Amino acid sequence: MSEETIRLGRERRYLVLLGVICLALIGGALYMQIVLGEAPCPLCILQRYALLLIALFAFIGAAMRTRRSITVFEVLVVICAIAGAGVAGHHVYTQFYPAVSCGIDVLQPIVDDLPLAKIFPLGFQVDGFCSTPYPPILGLSLAQWALVAFVLVVILVPLLTSRNRKALR
């Protein structure tokens, strides 16, 4: 087994782990929605989409065999994480300044018309307001935790990839 195969195997494992973590975060959000009664706002649903796309691209990337194809999916993961960070950042801002709430009336029809809202309405339909303050978890709101998660993906995926690939040279 070549050194490159071993190194790419490590990247594949990172991608699988990332995909599993993203699915677990969505599962946690569903738990909070269903069991704890915390209604998701339009920005929450958009963050779920970003997590789902990150997981999907991470799993597909882990199934690829060449360095170039893995890189393509790692780039897609980072792009989705940047989009998720933008949505989560706006959500954090909205929670600090509730007067600029996204408003369920403005974004609800757009988000509720996305495909997964029709297929899996419980997990992907809007039911709340972005400015609703829910109890913090370890001192941070859900939007702040989501922002941390997305920023970590944006930083760690390129960092781990470049460190892994430098070892191949």
Side-chain angles (χ1 to χ4, degrees), residues 42 90 100-112 126 128-130:
H90 182 66
V100 297
S101 177
C102 65
I104 196 166
D105 299 327
V106 176
L107 286 176
Q108 180 185 7
I110 296 167
V111 175
D112 284 348
V126 175
F129 295 97
C130 299

Side-chain angles (χ1 to χ4, degrees), residues 59-161:
F59 289 138
I60 293 171
M64 296 291 116
R65 295 287 164 224
T66 66
R67 183 188 310 186
R68 179 171 286 161
S69 57
I70 292 171
T71 301
V72 167
F73 285 97
E74 288 170 337
V75 168
L76 290 171
V77 161
V78 171
I79 290 169
C80 291
I82 290 169
V87 172
H90 182 66
H91 198 175
V92 169
Y93 177 81
T94 300
Q95 289 183 334
F96 278 114
Y97 302 100
V100 297
S101 177
C102 65
I104 196 166
D105 299 327
V106 176
L107 286 176
Q108 180 185 7
I110 296 167
V111 175
D112 284 348
D113 278 342
L114 294 172
L116 284 179
K118 306 272 190 248
I119 297 168
F120 184 43
L122 178 65
F124 291 93
Q125 273 194 342
V126 175
D127 196 27
F129 295 97
C130 299
S131 58
T132 302
Y134 289 112
I137 300 169
L138 299 174
L140 296 178
S141 71
L142 280 178
Q144 290 169 322
W145 278 116
L147 181 58
V148 167
F150 288 124
V151 168
L152 282 174
V153 171
V154 169
I155 293 169
L156 290 179
V157 168
L159 179 68
L160 291 174
T161 299

Side-chain angles (χ1 to χ4, degrees), residues 9-25 51 54-63 77 153 156-157 160:
R10 183 179 295 158
E11 277 184 51
R12 286 188 198 96
R13 287 190 298 277
Y14 290 152
L15 288 170
V16 169
L17 178 61
L18 176 61
V20 169
I21 290 170
C22 287
L23 292 180
L25 290 172
L51 287 170
I54 290 169
L56 178 68
F57 291 141
F59 289 138
I60 293 171
V77 161
V153 171
L156 290 179
V157 168
L160 291 174

